[in-house]
Amino acid sequence: MAFGSQVTTRGLTRRSAALALELVVPAAIVVAWWLASSGSTSLYFPPLSKIVSAFRQIWLFSHVGPDAGPSLEHLAAGYLLASVSGVVVGVAIGLLPSVGEALAPILEALRAVPALALVPAAVLILGIGPSMQIGVIVSAAVWPVLLNTADGVRGIDPQVNDVARSYRIGWRDRLLRMVLRAASPQIVAGMRTALSIAVVMIVFSEMVGSTNGIGYQLLQSQRAFDIPGMWSAMILLGILGYLLNILFRGFERGVLAWHRGMRGASD
Amino acid sequence: MTVAFADRPARGRAKRPGPAPVIGQRVKVLGIQTACVAVLLAAWQLAVVSGAVPESEVTQPTAVAHRLWDMLATQEFWSAVGETAHTWVIGLLVSLVVAVPLGLLLGASTLLYRMFRVTIDFLRTIPPVVLLPLALLLYGAREQTALLLVAFGSVWPLLLQTMYGVHQVDPVSRDVARAYQLRRLDFVRSVLLPSAAPFVATGVRIAATMSLLLVVGSELLGGIPGIGAQIAVDQTSAAQIPSMYAYVVVATALGVAVNLLIVRLERRVLSWHSAHKSQQEA
Amino acid sequence: MTGFDTSQKPMTMEALPTGTTPGPILSVRGLSQRYQSRAGDRLVLDGVDLDIRQGSFACIVGPSGAGKTTLLRCMSGLLTPSEGEVLLHGKPVDRPPASLAVVFQDYSRSLMPWMSVEHNVLLPLRSKPVSKQERVERTRAALAAVGLSGATDQYPWQLSGGMQQRVAIARALAYQPEALLMDEPFASVDAQTRAELEDLILGVRAEFGVTVVLVTHDIDEAVYLGDEVVVLSGSPARVRERLEVDLGAERDQLSTKARPEFVALRTRVLGLIRGKNA
């Protein structure tokens, strides 16, 4: 048997034990929920079995097209728009510190506006529908990206600038291969916050002003007293949030591989 | 040796005396910032007055200010603000009481951390607004609904930050505690808590912002008394649109004020930390 | 052993034998630099005059904090001096010129950690009007010249300090400058690595015929490497003296440093630095 190799029986057992440790609590919670609610007659906490069958009925697959699809589309559109504009403006502010300083109080105030409070105003201006939803997402999610980008660009090592000037590196390379890459850890951190904000905004805006979407379904089920339907929409949103997070982590791992390696080397 | 630019002054930097330029500089910056704010407000005003943006949708800043001034004299205004503030504070306190001890425990015990990691990961990505319909069913249009959302939303950032803070305790401090055989209680009180405090403070700041957002949001959608409810009511009538914007301004001001307060408090309580930190970076 | 590849064909530059006296490639005239601080203005450099011969290896030596880095930054076009000027082939330098390349002291901050070794070397070439093939070729040759052919796909933080500095040198070489300006390049590595890198730079200069201006606080290094040593000292800093190094073209860590001429020069330099520093 090879020493220290992962393919030993002991290695495999250890790894599956580690995995089991991580999964035992979630599994136990689901089982407990199932058991505790199985005979339930409570109006608001129906048996988990009913919720699961409602989930299968509604979301697999009749409502995926008309509801889940638009929700995800609008979320993606709003998030991308927020990220891109946040990065562009953030880089500009970071590279021009005097501009950043002049605009600082305005940016701080705009960031502090509780985005959910602006949704009625957004409905007034943009009506009900996708443009309102995307607008609402952008108005809230752009701030963490923008401010983190500006911070990241401002904090770039001055030596990077020296190298760029001394080797007369062209502005395109300077921007894309030096400034953006150097600030990317901060930018990605901002994008992570922006993602959870975007999800909150899409759900809320669908509840307030929409005719379709998962959030809309959620509220409609509640109003129609379709409690299992309501719970299944909640579970779907939970799962989606989790999946988006995992996707984002993959993205982060790819973009910041160099940064992890560098930090690991200095520890 | 002849010097090519003998009469050129030292690159535009004339000799200036000591501390005075620092104050002068600050005044200049403040002036520019105020000017930018003024320009923005003027542009907003112009956009509405010229008709580029319809007045039925966006109110002029002067009208908003005027309406706000009038509102300050009404009972309705202050009770709305009071409700929101009340729910906010209670919600934040509840999440503090739940998240910090839990965070300390999970941060300290690797076993527990690994057992609960997946669960926490899943629960914290649930958008808090998802609970609103259920909460409305359970509690109706009352404060408890908003509290439920606020508590659920704020617990996670606090929990995560506390756990992170515990992980960041300097291993050297841990070694010192073990070498001097510190009792567990003393270790927690004198080493663990102070080390984790800055991170907890960041968590409080994040949680405070999120709580305000969730309070106003749940009041808005659920009709619970408070600033959010006022906004929801005001948006329905054309004459009340200025009030709606006024309330948005008030909510923003609340957020900014509390943030400043927390930062100041943090600076006072953790003064040792910032000083310590700047020495390390020197 | 130095570790550079002498079997490589020299890149397209004439290797000038040291000892010939062509005109100066780089000149400094009456350069002064003032820094503004809360306590008032501080004069760091006062009327520095220098001529660097083409093909020469010039070492500027002085105590730490004397303003050597400031002088190098002015010479490389990164800093515009308060007074005076820098001339490259007789023309004033007001921004970094295309025929100068700089090697910075802190390699960990001057190399881009998000790029591989190869891409770090390649980066400045992308802004030069050369074909893609030529870029790749130059990069390969430069990395071979510093003995890092095998490290092309590695990342800077995966390499030791000495290797990282070699990457920085390769980057400067691939740029094919007429003059190489080096700011205390070997100060952040251990003594062993420093000796290797010193011999590396001597070999590189011999092979490619590039003019080198190296700033250092290490007197031994300055005398070992240089054809001429410029002593900068005092506060504000001035050129104390310029010394010709008569140790010949062949240098060796063991034998050269034992020669009486070396010792005499070194003593002279130390005396100059100390003596006027009252």
Side-chain angles (χ1 to χ4, degrees):
Chain A
M1 224 165 272
F3 280 97
S5 155
Q6 292 259 4
V7 195
T8 58
T9 336
R10 197 187 312 152
L12 275 172
T13 328
R14 203 165 342 126
R15 281 177 74 195
S16 33
L19 197 65
L21 186 70
E22 304 242 357
L23 294 178
V24 75
V25 169
I29 291 180
V30 174
V31 167
W33 186 1
W34 187 285
L35 293 175
S37 66
S38 58
S40 164
T41 50
S42 148
L43 187 55
Y44 303 136
F45 294 95
L48 186 54
S49 46
K50 263 206 187 156
I51 297 176
V52 171
S53 70
F55 189 96
R56 207 175 319 155
Q57 242 181 327
I58 303 177
W59 294 110
L60 273 29
F61 292 95
S62 59
H63 276 251
V64 166
D67 287 315
S71 286
L72 290 172
E73 272 170 33
H74 301 152
L75 174 65
Y79 182 66
L80 265 138
L81 193 57
S83 299
V84 169
S85 45
V87 168
V88 167
V89 177
V91 166
I93 290 183
L95 291 178
L96 303 167
S98 43
V99 171
E101 197 178 35
L103 295 177
I106 296 180
L107 291 175
E108 280 303 312
L110 287 177
R111 182 185 62 99
V113 172
L116 294 180
L118 274 183
V119 173
V123 172
L124 266 179
I125 301 174
L126 295 167
I128 287 186
S131 42
M132 180 271 290
Q133 284 162 13
I134 295 179
V136 159
I137 294 176
V138 171
S139 72
V142 74
W143 304 114
V145 179
L146 196 156
L147 292 169
N148 265 290
T149 306
D151 262 351
V153 169
R154 266 194 295 255
I156 294 180
D157 195 328
Q159 277 250 318
V160 172
N161 195 30
D162 277 348
V163 169
R165 283 174 60 213
S166 139
Y167 283 98
R168 295 157 65 101
I169 295 179
W171 69 267
R172 246 180 299 249
D173 273 356
R174 261 175 103 156
L175 190 64
L176 296 173
R177 284 168 191 252
M178 297 176 87
V179 169
L180 272 180
R181 296 302 302 270
S184 54
Q186 285 275 62
I187 297 179
V188 169
M191 285 177 73
R192 200 185 323 129
T193 311
L195 183 61
S196 49
I197 291 181
V199 174
V200 169
M201 301 313 290
I202 185 74
V203 174
F204 191 83
S205 64
E206 282 176 354
M207 287 195 216
V208 165
S210 172
T211 50
N212 63 3
I214 308 178
Y216 172 75
Q217 275 299 324
L218 172 58
L219 197 58
Q220 285 302 100
S221 319
Q222 183 240 30
R223 290 199 175 136
F225 268 92
D226 173 14
I227 307 300
M230 179 187 81
W231 276 97
S232 60
M234 285 167 71
I235 292 180
L236 178 64
L237 282 170
I239 295 178
L240 274 178
Y242 190 58
L243 284 178
L244 282 172
N245 218 294
I246 294 186
L247 272 175
F248 189 85
R249 271 207 277 251
F251 163 71
E252 187 175 356
R253 208 165 312 175
V255 170
L256 294 184
W258 63 269
H259 191 238
R260 268 197 331 270
M262 186 173 88
R263 279 223 304 231
S266 60
D267 281 340
Chain B
M1 200 91 235
T2 48
V3 169
F5 305 99
D7 52 342
R8 195 157 51 130
R11 293 246 75 227
R13 289 174 195 119
K15 217 172 171 106
R16 267 197 239 117
V22 181
I23 297 179
Q25 185 77 351
R26 291 210 66 196
V27 170
K28 193 171 89 162
V29 166
L30 218 63
I32 295 181
Q33 290 176 334
T34 320
C36 286
V37 173
V39 164
L40 189 68
L41 288 174
W44 176 5
Q45 180 86 3
L46 197 65
V48 180
V49 164
S50 70
V53 179
E55 182 128 26
S56 56
E57 294 175 10
V58 180
T59 318
Q60 305 170 27
T62 45
V64 172
H66 194 218
R67 181 65 65 92
L68 181 57
W69 184 254
D70 290 339
M71 276 161 49
L72 287 176
T74 63
Q75 170 70 9
E76 181 186 56
F77 172 81
W78 290 108
S79 73
V81 171
E83 303 269 4
T84 302
H86 184 258
T87 315
W88 185 11
V89 168
I90 305 266
L92 201 56
L93 279 175
V94 165
S95 35
L96 255 171
V97 163
V98 168
V100 172
L102 210 62
L104 288 174
L105 187 63
L106 286 175
S109 157
T110 326
L111 180 69
L112 285 179
Y113 171 68
R114 283 174 56 195
M115 279 176 70
F116 283 94
R117 178 165 48 181
V118 173
T119 317
I120 294 177
D121 239 3
F122 181 81
L123 289 176
R124 79 176 168 100
T125 55
I126 300 179
V129 283
V130 153
L131 291 182
L132 189 56
L134 179 64
L136 280 171
L137 283 177
L138 290 172
Y139 302 116
R142 299 207 318 271
E143 191 180 24
Q144 284 95 311
T145 305
L147 271 177
L148 185 62
L149 248 77
V150 167
F152 183 78
S154 324
V155 146
W156 306 114
L158 265 172
L159 182 67
L160 285 163
Q161 283 288 113
T162 311
M163 285 195 313
Y164 187 60
V166 173
H167 285 156
Q168 293 299 101
V169 171
D170 196 337
V172 177
S173 307
R174 279 190 216 264
D175 283 346
V176 169
R178 278 178 47 222
Y180 286 96
Q181 315 213 303
L182 236 51
R183 275 184 336 182
R184 172 130 303 188
L185 189 64
D186 288 333
F187 173 72
V188 169
R189 208 160 30 135
S190 317
V191 179
L192 188 62
L193 281 178
S195 295
F199 297 92
V200 176
T202 310
V204 171
R205 218 169 341 119
I206 300 174
T209 316
M210 185 164 302
S211 312
L212 182 62
L213 188 73
L214 290 171
V215 171
V216 173
S218 37
E219 287 171 352
L220 209 156
L221 205 56
I224 303 164
I227 293 181
Q230 293 293 336
I231 293 179
V233 163
D234 286 340
Q235 71 154 320
T236 56
S237 130
Q240 295 295 88
I241 302 294
S243 309
M244 181 187 84
Y245 281 106
Y247 273 114
V248 173
V249 170
V250 169
T252 311
L254 255 180
V256 168
V258 171
N259 201 38
L260 280 176
L261 192 74
I262 294 183
V263 165
R264 195 142 300 185
L265 215 82
E266 194 180 322
R267 212 168 288 173
R268 180 89 50 90
V269 172
L270 296 178
S271 58
W272 58 268
H273 174 256
S274 356
H276 171 67
K277 217 173 129 187
S278 54
Q279 189 198 44
Q280 264 191 331
E281 285 167 17
Chain C
M1 260 287 98
T2 54
F4 67 90
D5 184 2
T6 44
S7 68
Q8 277 300 311
K9 270 206 322 252
M11 297 188 275
T12 50
M13 261 190 291
E14 270 106 49
L16 288 167
T18 55
T20 59
T21 45
I25 176 177
L26 204 53
S27 297
V28 179
R29 296 273 175 272
L31 193 144
S32 295
Q33 179 61 24
R34 250 181 211 94
Y35 279 123
Q36 201 196 24
S37 75
R38 212 163 287 182
D41 281 350
R42 192 164 71 90
L43 191 63
V44 170
L45 294 169
D46 189 12
V48 172
D49 285 312
L50 267 185
D51 281 319
I52 311 285
R53 280 194 313 260
Q54 189 149 7
S56 158
F57 197 128
C59 289
I60 302 177
V61 67
S64 291
K68 308 188 297 295
T69 297
T70 307
L71 177 59
L72 200 77
R73 286 177 71 88
C74 291
M75 287 170 80
S76 68
L78 284 173
L79 181 63
T80 309
S82 314
E83 276 166 39
E85 58 180 353
V86 177
L87 300 168
L88 177 64
H89 289 307
K91 288 202 272 287
V93 167
D94 53 358
R95 37 197 283 276
S99 42
L100 293 181
V102 181
V103 175
F104 299 90
Q105 175 183 350
D106 197 343
Y107 41 79
S108 68
R109 291 166 63 200
S110 86
L111 293 178
M112 309 291 132
W114 51 88
M115 290 184 190
S116 67
V117 162
E118 178 171 17
H119 284 130
N120 261 291
V121 175
L122 210 50
L123 181 63
L125 295 180
R126 292 169 49 90
S127 309
K128 275 202 161 187
V130 285
S131 71
K132 180 157 185 224
Q133 190 178 357
E134 164 97 13
R135 278 185 232 152
V136 170
E137 184 51 44
R138 284 204 208 180
T139 305
R140 204 189 50 79
L143 283 171
V146 302
L148 284 178
S149 300
T152 45
D153 291 328
Q154 297 208 282
Y155 282 76
W157 40 268
Q158 291 175 302
L159 304 175
S160 68
M163 290 166 85
Q164 289 186 46
Q165 198 60 301
R166 286 178 197 239
V167 175
I169 292 172
R171 177 173 65 184
L173 287 178
Y175 197 65
Q176 289 190 354
E178 289 188 61
L180 205 56
L181 303 180
M182 308 180 82
D183 184 7
E184 305 206 45
F186 311 137
S188 308
V189 298
D190 61 271
Q192 191 87 344
T193 312
R194 194 179 319 152
E196 286 174 15
L197 291 176
E198 286 172 359
D199 286 336
L200 175 71
I201 199 69
L202 279 177
V204 154
R205 195 279 297 257
E207 187 174 335
F208 300 116
V210 58
T211 310
V212 181
V213 179
L214 186 143
V215 159
T216 179
H217 64 264
D218 185 335
I219 300 173
D220 280 11
E221 182 170 273
V223 175
Y224 177 67
L225 291 174
D227 297 326
E228 51 177 317
V229 173
V230 176
V231 181
L232 201 72
S233 76
S235 175
R238 290 192 181 88
V239 175
R240 289 298 159 207
E241 193 160 323
R242 198 186 138 281
L243 302 164
E244 287 285 336
V245 175
D246 52 355
L247 294 168
E250 294 295 318
R251 309 277 173 102
D252 179 88
Q253 291 280 349
L254 292 171
S255 54
T256 310
K257 291 190 175 174
R259 286 172 60 178
E261 294 93 333
F262 180 92
V263 177
L265 270 167
R266 196 235 267 132
T267 314
R268 181 92 191 280
V269 172
L270 184 59
L272 281 166
I273 291 178
R274 275 207 191 149
K276 310 289 168 61
N277 227 8

